[in-house]
Amino acid sequence: MDMKKKVPIREQAPEVRAHNFDEVCLGYTKEQAMLEATRCLECKNPLCVMGCPVSVPIPEFIHKVKEGDFDKAFEIISECNTLPAICGRVCPQESQCEGKCVRGIKGESVAIGKLERFVADYAMEKGKRRPHSHEKNGKKVAVIGSGPASLACAGDLVKYGYDVTIFEALHEAGGVLLYGIPEFRLPKEDVVKKEIAMLLHMGVKIELNTVVGKSVTIDELMEKEGFDAVFIGTGAGLPKFMGIKGENANGVFSANEYLTRSNLMKAFDENSTTPIMRAKKVAVVGGGNVAMDAARTALRLGSEVHIIYRRSEAELPARVEEVHHAKEEGVIFDILTNPVEILTDDNGSVCGIRCVKMELGEPDASGRRKPVVIEGSEFDIDVDMVIMSLGTSPNPLISSTTDGLKTNSRKCIVADEINGQTTREGVFAGGDAVTGAATVILAMSAGRSAAVGIHDYLSNK
Amino acid sequence: MYEIINAKKLTDNIYSFVVRAERVASACLPGQFVIVRSHCDAERIPLTICDYDRENKTITLVFQVVGAGSLRLSRLKSGDCLHDVAGPLGRASELCDTSLDELKNKSILFVAGGVGTAPVFPQVKWLKEHGVDSDVIIGAKTKEMLIMENEMDQFATNLYITTDDGSYGRHGLVTKVIEDLVKSEGKHYDMCVAIGPMIMMKFCCLTTKALNIPTTVSLNPIMVDGTGMCGACRVTVGGEVKFACVDGPEFDGHLVDFDEAMIRQNIYKTEEGRAYLKEKEGDTHHGGCGHCGGEQ
Ligand SMILES: Cc1cc2nc3c(=O)[nH]c(=O)nc-3n(C[C@H](O)[C@H](O)[C@H](O)COP(=O)(O)OP(=O)(O)OC[C@H]3O[C@@H](n4cnc5c(N)ncnc54)[C@H](O)[C@@H]3O)c2cc1C
Ligand SMILES: Cc1cc2nc3c(=O)[nH]c(=O)nc-3n(C[C@H](O)[C@H](O)[C@H](O)COP(=O)(O)OP(=O)(O)OC[C@H]3O[C@@H](n4cnc5c(N)ncnc54)[C@H](O)[C@@H]3O)c2cc1C
Ligand code: FES
């Protein structure tokens, strides 16, 4: 075995998976996981742990994998990460744990994410899950939203003994894990729904179809329904558009709409009654995970797909694995390109997208080189659908209906970094609602910190 | 699950459901809507709240069968349950925010077209209950397609009915009635609320603009989540892009780009047509939709 390289993982072949919605990565077998684990140098000062936003004791769990003691490995991970089957699949490991791995200096880093996923899947399959004996303390906490921040917060709170109710606006729980990230990256029945079933099993209640701020306000929850504290984990779901001509034409969608139709409403399945547009040629504007997901969904629905991104490939914010998978499947990358207008036909439908070429200039505030327009470089691409994936911002539904809840200039809820306390007593917040669009692991971690914050607050009240 | 306490067929293709939905019934105001799903695998259908009973925790929905989703919904009976009812969504009617003194000094006209009669009803009722008078025009294609005449009559100061074919009430479109009332019957209105099919709202607005009557319309673009998350419902109002589900559904009708809104409503026309055929024909469906392959 070449110790410089990761043990290859089983994946569906690109030409096969480009036509189905089944998970791309099939995961390690026991033997493969144990073999990959032997590549870990078990550093005394593990840099990988420093790279992990929740400081999973990585060398320790990998050591247990090496020994074949997967139960123990799962216990070690679970101490720090309550959603390992999800994080193992969607964390940007290359810029976190694996980015710091010493093995990575002269070869490929240890496949930490894939090992985490293996351990979590193993435990899930065996039905070996977190211990959950807890006495009820009689206090009620409302958790708003059901994305990773809320799921993690609710999971910890119920272990502390609280009576926890999750309020979710949509008809199914899971947040972005359900409506945003596609099946081929994160299976819904086998992973997301099992996490939620686990919470229900632990005693968490879920009230669906409840839009807090509309169906009930935070004040009413606290004053009339007896909730002693509230956690807001409502994410950052509001899509941005570019404000260019033609953007309201038929065939222009936000990535959120397109992905929600496909994932939540199952429009990819021909038996679903929810329609989704099947186009010949699609332009996806943007370069993040969301853009990759939309592009690969469109590809699977039979379109030729172009990613249009204004910086260069090195700046693509998506996970490296997603970019790699997208290319393998046949997504075309038009980099250093920016749309200026969407072209429409007589029926008001998209018939093309007018773009300009960009070049990289001086570094901007984010440290990335700023793209500048090349004069006179305008050109048209004929497409019949455009998906805008330009980022999202938090929904003001709650902040605008809750007195004393402060938000910042980006509409994010102001909350303490350590315990999630907002400017309103008894109300805590975390995840994308506080940070703006970020990652699953940061949301999970914020949910857990807020659970501690809520526990401290209610214990001292 | 949300129990249907009373399911009624109002006309050939219009149905009314009284549904138990505690949170919605406690929180809603006129002008707001809900999103319902009839079954665990059904589409999300936005419907205006046409009446509500805070005590019994029920809301009334009135809907017309136009496609696969509403057809499936219409097959439910009293005692059945809706799988999901989310809401109330959207902003309440502007009337609810206006001071009653101000409203009492205004003469208000409601114009309802077809199934749009149902969303007009809670506003007229709310005003009457708060001591404010209003006139109502209801337009229907034919006598058979007229709904809620008696209910409306209880709360409207003057009720004018018109049918396209003249089979009942006045003869002609609602726009003609507006013009007749103002131009030849000596009526004066300070504001108008028009709800119905897009095309009817568009022409109402052209009429009221000429007569200088500020007009509010309730838009019904295609929606998915109804919470501001997807942008499917975007409409252009006064040159600005708005999300109807959170910024509306009511807007200043004289500023709405109706032509764009109508084009956007038809985006899924062919796919919806196929879904409708499939739902309607059920097991007897053997091709012809160009989708199932049954014709081969
Ligand atoms: C398509 C896509 C792909 C992504 N890929 C990755 C990836 O590969 N790796 C990664 O780390 N991150 C990824 N992310 C980002 C990650 O998913 C988010 O950072 C994370 O889900 C945020 O979690 P959250 O709990 O804060 O909120 P969310 O997951 O956004 O959940 C918020 C929930 O709150 C509900 N809600 C909102 N308002 C209300 C209200 N008023 N009342 C009740 N409920 C409400 C919403 O319906 C939603 O269910 C991706 C995001 C998207 C959209
Ligand atoms: C805020 C709002 C309030 C509404 N109130 C009522 C009401 O009180 N009574 C009533 O009968 N109808 C109402 N509608 C319209 C109703 O939602 C649509 O008729 C219904 O969704 C059609 O679904 P379908 O599957 O039967 O038809 P489809 O076959 O899906 O579509 C038929 C046509 O209905 C429209 N439509 C389809 N999907 C949607 C959608 N998700 N949202 C809006 N329009 C859509 C399109 O124009 C389409 O061409 C309202 C719509 C909105 C947005
Ligand atoms: S329906 Fe999705 S934003 Fe309005």
Side-chain angles (χ1 to χ4, degrees):
Chain A
M1 172 185 158
D2 180 355
M3 291 301 268
K4 286 210 177 74
K5 289 218 164 116
K6 291 180 182 176
V7 171
I9 197 147
R10 296 168 304 149
E11 281 177 353
Q12 281 197 69
E15 56 287 2
V16 176
R17 69 185 195 235
H19 304 287
N20 69 46
F21 280 83
D22 301 335
E23 194 173 12
V24 169
C25 174
L26 304 173
Y28 280 141
T29 61
K30 276 188 205 174
E31 295 70 27
Q32 289 170 329
M34 288 169 73
L35 188 61
E36 177 63 18
T38 62
R39 294 182 62 233
C40 177
L41 301 171
E42 301 192 23
C43 307
K44 283 280 156 304
N45 262 325
L47 295 176
C48 53
V49 178
M50 286 160 64
C52 173
V54 297
S55 310
V56 169
I58 294 164
E60 279 90 332
F61 100 72
I62 294 187
H63 183 80
K64 289 298 166 194
V65 175
K66 217 181 275 183
E67 291 177 344
D69 187 354
F70 308 131
D71 292 342
K72 188 72 197 155
F74 180 69
E75 249 173 62
I76 295 172
I77 297 176
S78 302
E79 286 290 307
C80 302
N81 186 341
T82 47
L83 303 170
I86 294 169
C87 292
R89 286 176 166 83
V90 305
C91 265
Q93 287 95 2
E94 69 275 3
S95 55
Q96 299 179 3
C97 53
E98 294 183 22
K100 295 263 166 36
C101 175
V102 173
R103 275 259 178 228
I105 300 172
K106 284 202 185 133
E108 288 179 359
S109 63
V110 174
I112 302 169
K114 299 286 189 278
L115 289 175
E116 179 183 38
R117 166 192 164 150
F118 165 77
V119 170
D121 285 0
Y122 172 87
M124 190 121 64
E125 201 161 304
K126 251 188 89 183
K128 162 110 191 136
R129 296 299 297 269
R130 331 165 180 124
H132 52 266
S133 65
H134 44 263
E135 266 175 40
K136 290 263 164 230
N137 64 19
K139 291 181 185 160
K140 281 170 74 178
V141 183
V143 170
I144 307 172
S146 61
S150 298
L151 296 180
C153 187
D156 282 2
L157 285 170
V158 79
K159 281 192 225 158
Y160 296 145
Y162 294 95
D163 179 352
V164 183
T165 307
I166 290 180
F167 294 93
E168 167 57 47
L170 294 172
H171 60 260
E172 266 188 70
V176 168
L177 305 177
L178 185 85
Y179 76 72
I181 304 180
E183 183 74 23
F184 54 81
R185 275 214 295 140
L186 184 62
K188 308 301 165 226
E189 292 298 330
D190 288 344
V191 182
V192 182
K193 291 195 180 165
K194 282 196 180 153
E195 288 297 346
I196 289 158
M198 186 69 195
L199 283 182
L200 291 172
H201 179 68
M202 285 165 40
V204 173
K205 283 169 259 175
I206 303 188
E207 224 190 274
L208 300 170
N209 296 317
T210 310
V211 188
V212 175
K214 288 280 176 192
S215 313
V216 63
T217 61
I218 288 192
D219 293 285
E220 287 166 340
L221 285 175
M222 297 183 82
E223 283 157 26
K224 292 203 189 131
E225 300 192 22
F227 287 95
D228 300 288
V230 175
F231 173 75
I232 306 174
T234 47
L238 241 62
K240 292 185 185 133
F241 286 91
M242 296 185 82
I244 58 177
K245 197 170 160 216
E247 219 171 3
N248 274 7
N250 279 354
V252 183
F253 304 95
S254 73
N256 265 5
E257 178 182 352
Y258 189 70
L259 289 169
T260 301
R261 283 180 182 277
S262 180
N263 300 332
L264 177 72
M265 303 309 297
K266 310 265 180 312
F268 69 82
D269 181 347
E270 306 226 321
N271 290 320
S272 164
T273 43
T274 298
I276 193 164
M277 191 168 156
R278 292 166 195 258
K280 285 197 202 65
K281 193 167 163 186
V282 179
V284 179
V285 184
N289 284 322
V290 187
M292 298 306 139
D293 285 344
R296 296 169 68 200
T297 298
L299 188 98
R300 283 163 172 73
L301 292 175
S303 308
E304 174 185 326
V305 184
H306 290 246
I307 291 262
I308 298 188
Y309 180 59
R310 64 196 181 120
R311 302 183 195 247
S312 75
E313 189 163 336
E315 282 92 14
L316 280 170
R319 294 175 79 222
V320 169
E321 187 183 10
E322 307 316 326
V323 176
H324 172 73
H325 279 158
K327 282 190 180 163
E328 276 186 345
E329 290 162 10
V331 172
I332 300 157
F333 283 72
D334 295 334
I335 52 156
L336 288 167
T337 303
N338 204 30
V340 289
E341 183 184 338
I342 289 159
L343 309 170
T344 50
D345 64 16
D346 296 341
N347 302 320
S349 299
V350 173
C351 64
I353 184 163
R354 181 159 295 161
C355 300
V356 285
K357 278 285 175 197
M358 312 291 281
E359 61 189 349
L360 292 182
E362 296 298 306
D364 65 9
S366 71
R368 297 183 298 180
R369 291 176 64 194
K370 198 179 146 120
V372 272
V373 178
I374 301 176
E375 283 309 319
S377 62
E378 225 170 68
F379 69 104
D380 296 345
I381 311 175
D382 59 327
V383 294
D384 48 355
M385 176 159 119
V386 176
I387 301 174
M388 290 293 178
S389 173
L390 308 153
T392 50
S393 63
N395 198 323
L397 268 184
I398 288 192
S399 47
S400 64
T401 52
T402 313
D403 278 340
L405 190 69
K406 226 167 117 184
T407 53
N408 67 18
S409 59
R410 294 182 303 135
K411 298 198 204 125
C412 300
I413 296 173
V414 175
D416 186 283
E417 262 182 52
I418 310 226
N419 63 13
Q421 170 71 54
T422 65
T423 51
R424 179 69 198 268
E425 195 193 328
V427 179
F428 297 73
D432 283 6
V434 169
T435 55
T439 58
V440 170
I441 188 115
L442 287 174
M444 183 209 74
S445 157
R448 300 198 72 200
S449 307
V452 175
I454 290 171
H455 189 39
D456 284 347
Y457 166 72
L458 291 179
S459 308
N460 296 325
K461 211 175 125 173
Chain B
M1 297 289 249
Y2 305 78
E3 197 196 345
I4 303 171
I5 308 291
N6 187 0
K8 268 197 301 205
K9 188 168 179 169
L10 303 184
T11 73
D12 200 30
N13 67 351
I14 301 180
Y15 296 76
S16 114
F17 285 174
V18 176
V19 182
R20 192 181 308 282
E22 276 201 47
R23 287 204 185 277
V24 183
S26 313
C28 67
L29 283 171
Q32 291 188 295
F33 63 99
V34 289
I35 289 193
V36 306
R37 293 200 327 143
S38 53
H39 302 78
C40 66
D41 59 347
E43 260 194 273
R44 292 172 67 87
I45 298 185
L47 295 173
T48 311
I49 300 163
C50 297
D51 202 358
Y52 50 88
D53 180 339
R54 302 232 198 268
E55 220 163 279
N56 291 312
K57 309 279 184 226
T58 61
I59 56 171
T60 305
L61 305 173
V62 175
F63 63 94
Q64 184 166 15
V65 172
V66 296
S70 41
L71 179 62
R72 208 169 164 204
L73 191 63
S74 72
R75 294 193 178 130
L76 296 178
K77 303 272 173 292
S78 302
D80 289 346
C81 284
L82 294 178
H83 199 273
D84 301 285
V85 177
L89 300 167
R91 302 180 135 173
S93 161
E94 211 188 334
L95 298 171
C96 306
D97 286 338
T98 315
S99 83
L100 290 176
D101 288 340
E102 197 178 320
L103 288 174
K104 281 178 190 158
N105 286 327
K106 280 194 171 162
S107 60
I108 306 170
L109 174 68
F110 286 93
V111 185
V115 73
T117 310
V120 160
F121 175 70
Q123 306 203 16
V124 175
K125 180 176 166 191
W126 187 91
L127 285 176
K128 183 76 189 174
E129 284 172 354
H130 289 81
V132 182
D133 289 342
S134 60
D135 285 0
V136 179
I137 302 173
I138 301 180
K141 279 205 176 109
T142 65
K143 179 170 190 244
E144 287 68 42
M145 293 171 85
L146 177 69
I147 56 167
M148 302 181 80
E149 183 187 2
N150 293 335
E151 288 89 335
M152 199 72 89
D153 205 28
Q154 281 178 47
F155 299 101
T157 309
N158 295 297
L159 178 62
Y160 308 97
I161 310 252
T162 181
T163 47
D164 294 5
D165 64 352
S167 53
Y168 188 65
R170 299 179 181 218
H171 186 179
L173 303 175
V174 287
T175 43
K176 179 165 177 292
V177 182
I178 302 174
E179 281 188 337
D180 288 349
L181 286 176
V182 174
K183 287 187 179 157
S184 26
E185 297 173 40
K187 284 282 186 178
H188 166 84
Y189 294 107
D190 300 307
M191 64 175 293
C192 169
V193 177
I195 308 181
M198 269 312 177
I199 189 81
M200 166 237 152
M201 292 191 281
K202 173 181 166 170
F203 282 100
C204 267
C205 286
L206 289 174
T207 305
T208 57
K209 182 134 204 213
L211 296 171
N212 231 335
I213 309 171
T215 300
T216 300
V217 294
S218 178
L219 297 183
N220 51 358
I222 290 187
M223 292 188 176
V224 183
D225 59 299
T227 65
M229 185 193 89
C230 76
C233 62
R234 56 197 196 280
V235 289
T236 304
V237 182
E240 268 181 64
V241 176
K242 302 277 183 192
F243 286 11
C245 69
V246 283
D247 301 323
E250 295 193 353
F251 293 103
D252 178 345
H254 294 160
L255 298 178
V256 170
D257 183 340
F258 282 107
D259 293 335
E260 178 189 273
M262 284 190 278
I263 290 176
R264 287 186 60 77
Q265 255 194 347
N266 288 331
I267 181 164
Y268 293 112
K269 209 139 207 181
T270 44
E271 278 159 72
E272 277 157 350
R274 287 190 194 120
Y276 179 70
L277 278 180
K278 204 166 153 193
E279 180 66 39
K280 196 165 166 110
E281 298 175 12
D283 288 343
T284 64
H285 177 65
H286 299 297
C289 69
H291 202 55
C292 68
E295 56 270 49
Q296 283 150 21

